[in-house]
Amino acid sequence: MDYTEAVDYIEEVPKFTKKNGPENTLELLRRIGHPERNMKVIHVAGTNGKGSVCAFLSSILTEAGRRTGLFTSPHLVDITERFQINQEPASHEMFTEAFVRVKKEVDAMMRDGYAHPAYFELLFAAGLLIFEAAGVEYLVLETGLGGRLDATNLVEHPIACVLTTISLDHMEYLGDTVAKIAAEKAGIIKEGVPVIYDGRNPESEAVILAQAEKMHAKAYRYDDTMCEITGKTDKSIDFIINSRYDKKNTDPQAQVSPVSDLYGNLKVRVPYLAEYQVTNSMLALAALRVIDPEKTISDEQAVRGIADTKWPGRMETVLPGVVLDGAHNADGIREFIRTVKSVGEQRPVSLLFSAVVEKEHEKMIRTICESTHPALVVVTQVGGSRVVPAQELAAEFRKYTDAPVIAKEDVAEAFETALQKKGDSMLFCAGSLYLAGELKAIIAHRDQAADERRVTYD
């Protein structure tokens, strides 16, 4: 089996199996030798920001010279993006070798009467083998969906758990209230394992603290008063951690500590223009100090790691005046709007947008149009079987904005149109990670073509 055959097999899996109970995945982990038991695992869950927190942590640990694995999802272009070793995706050869071993154990399981693992379960098992072969010391592990029943929650003894922003998303699976969703996310908290969490939502915080108390887990709380933004550019935000945070809101009975206690007045630069990345970087910095209280990794290394973080498709400046963001749910769109409004105070903004069918795309569109004033809107379509036609999205935009709205079914054509017509505005591309992935591939192809032209000219 080669790389293409392995990927093709995995992509076919959703057509003939479904998510299984944890005992099925546990059996697969047993058969591959429980590689996760030999790694220091930091487990991260949440509705929004969990991938960014993972990227920040991976960058810090790599900067400090620690052999670090990063397991995250989804991928934007290549499936190996899900398995990073010291900030670099695993090679096709590493992935294929790991998957062949997993497939052998899956075949044996099925002969013994077990169910075929689901898509994410296969990738999780393959990832663990990749990281084992690479000899990683730390594994930064992002949950797939929820937490309590997620395959990643079979890791028995993480060294820390992180819970990012929790809001309404995937309600058909996780529940129809923030409290119910928080209960699923907080299911990753293990006995005696410290938890670092976003404490800005009282409803989710109450659930997290109740679970932490039940599991005898020390909790470290973040809120916006714990740092102060000191500067912004189109590509970054500077902030300082406020070590003089007012502790009146902390509850000593619940064993809660403010994350700002873990640092002095540290100055940090986040390489993104979205303010929510301040929160995510603070959670990562707090997790670092919880797992490394002796400061074998220095504050300076931590700051460099944050500044050098690369997390594609999340408020990523991909070209001059072009920002790519995978915002695709209500909370993500609210944060997206905050950034767009901030930029809109300095220069015009334009929008390239698409969404998939199960997302509340008209609600997202209405929210964007009521809160921002784009000079131009270009819509396109992505998602294969989950596609929303470009003309349908265009009609929804025209209900809520007087700006010119252009519909292009082809993503590449839509992107070129947006680039040609944006003028001096900043172009934001948002609404779906599928769109982010396709645009990343288009930009990479443009760069490759430009390099080939330069070589020919030289």
Side-chain angles (χ1 to χ4, degrees), residues 138 174 419:
Y138 288 91
L174 304 180
L419 291 177

Side-chain angles (χ1 to χ4, degrees), residues 135-436:
V136 305
E137 176 185 4
Y138 288 91
L139 173 57
V140 184
L141 185 62
E142 180 188 4
T143 57
L145 176 65
R148 181 176 62 89
L149 297 177
D150 192 71
T152 60
N153 205 30
L154 293 171
V155 172
E156 299 156 311
H157 302 294
I159 58 174
C161 297
V162 183
L163 291 167
T164 68
T165 305
I166 295 174
S167 60
L168 297 176
D169 195 24
H170 296 295
M171 291 181 286
E172 66 274 31
Y173 303 110
L174 304 180
D176 57 1
T177 68
V178 169
K180 289 178 182 178
I181 293 173
E184 293 297 319
K185 308 288 186 183
I188 72 167
I189 300 174
K190 302 293 193 299
E191 178 69 31
V193 176
V195 56
I196 302 93
Y197 72 98
D198 181 349
R200 295 175 299 167
N201 185 313
E203 192 175 358
S204 62
E205 181 177 37
V207 174
I208 292 167
L209 291 182
Q211 182 68 7
E213 182 177 10
K214 177 182 176 182
M215 303 304 292
H216 309 99
K218 180 66 180 292
Y220 295 84
R221 179 183 194 273
Y222 169 80
D223 70 46
D224 288 336
T225 66
M226 296 179 187
C227 60
E228 178 183 353
I229 293 175
T230 57
K232 290 183 180 182
T233 72
D234 284 354
K235 296 183 179 180
S236 65
I237 297 176
D238 293 334
F239 69 91
I240 186 168
I241 298 175
N242 181 7
S243 63
R244 296 183 299 278
Y245 163 73
D246 183 353
K247 302 177 185 179
K248 66 177 182 243
N249 292 323
T250 60
D251 180 0
Q253 299 303 315
Q255 292 296 299
V256 181
S257 293
V259 301
S260 52
D261 272 4
L262 302 170
Y263 289 91
N265 291 319
L266 191 66
K267 296 179 180 178
V268 184
R269 172 164 292 176
V270 181
Y272 300 97
L273 53 77
E275 289 189 17
Y276 62 75
Q277 295 293 20
V278 173
T279 296
N280 295 330
S281 62
M282 280 289 291
L283 292 172
L285 287 166
L288 172 69
R289 280 294 158 257
V290 169
I291 66 172
D292 181 35
E294 296 84 14
K295 290 196 173 185
T296 63
I297 299 173
S298 69
D299 287 354
E300 291 74 22
Q301 288 172 315
V303 169
R304 285 198 300 271
I306 294 292
D308 292 341
T309 300
K310 297 176 178 61
W311 188 227
R314 281 75 170 185
M315 276 297 170
E316 177 190 11
T317 300
V318 291
L319 293 171
V322 180
V323 175
L324 201 59
D325 188 50
H328 60 283
N329 58 31
D331 196 60
I333 289 294
R334 279 194 294 272
E335 293 294 342
F336 169 78
I337 286 169
R338 287 182 63 191
T339 304
V340 172
K341 289 175 72 173
S342 177
V343 171
E345 293 173 359
Q346 309 297 324
R347 61 188 293 188
V349 297
S350 297
L351 180 64
L352 173 58
F353 183 91
S354 193
V356 292
V357 69
E358 71 272 18
K359 298 298 179 180
E360 296 179 298
H361 45 84
E362 182 163 1
K363 184 177 179 180
M364 288 195 292
I365 288 168
R366 184 176 70 247
T367 302
I368 290 171
C369 293
E370 289 176 350
S371 304
T372 68
H373 303 284
L376 168 72
V377 177
V378 180
V379 295
T380 188
Q381 56 193 53
V382 295
S385 61
R386 303 161 69 193
V387 67
V388 180
Q391 292 295 345
E392 180 178 335
L393 294 172
E396 291 171 357
F397 266 104
R398 291 183 182 118
K399 292 180 185 178
Y400 304 109
T401 182
D402 294 328
V405 179
I406 301 171
K408 297 287 185 182
E409 294 182 3
D410 181 74
V411 176
E413 186 180 356
F415 186 49
E416 290 300 329
T417 300
L419 291 177
Q420 292 168 10
K421 294 185 176 294
K422 79 179 191 70
D424 63 350
S425 70
M426 179 170 284
L427 175 64
F428 287 89
C429 309
S432 170
L433 282 169
Y434 286 99
L435 176 63

Side-chain angles (χ1 to χ4, degrees), residues 30-101:
R30 186 190 69 78
R31 292 184 183 227
I32 65 173
H34 280 292
E36 76 282 359
R37 291 178 177 173
N38 300 316
M39 307 171 199
K40 299 172 183 175
V41 177
I42 306 168
H43 198 187
V44 183
T47 305
N48 288 310
K50 59 184 183 292
S52 296
V53 171
C54 289
F56 284 128
L57 277 166
S58 176
S59 183
I60 291 169
L61 292 167
T62 299
E63 170 66 31
R66 307 306 197 264
R67 189 76 168 162
T68 304
L70 170 62
F71 178 77
T72 188
S73 60
H75 60 277
L76 297 183
V77 180
D78 193 299
I79 204 167
T80 58
E81 295 168 24
R82 295 169 178 256
F83 323 102
Q84 295 188 27
I85 301 151
N86 284 5
Q87 303 272 270
E88 294 294 332
S91 68
H92 286 186
E93 291 75 19
M94 291 180 71
F95 172 78
T96 304
E97 182 178 344
F99 180 73
V100 167
R101 183 175 165 192

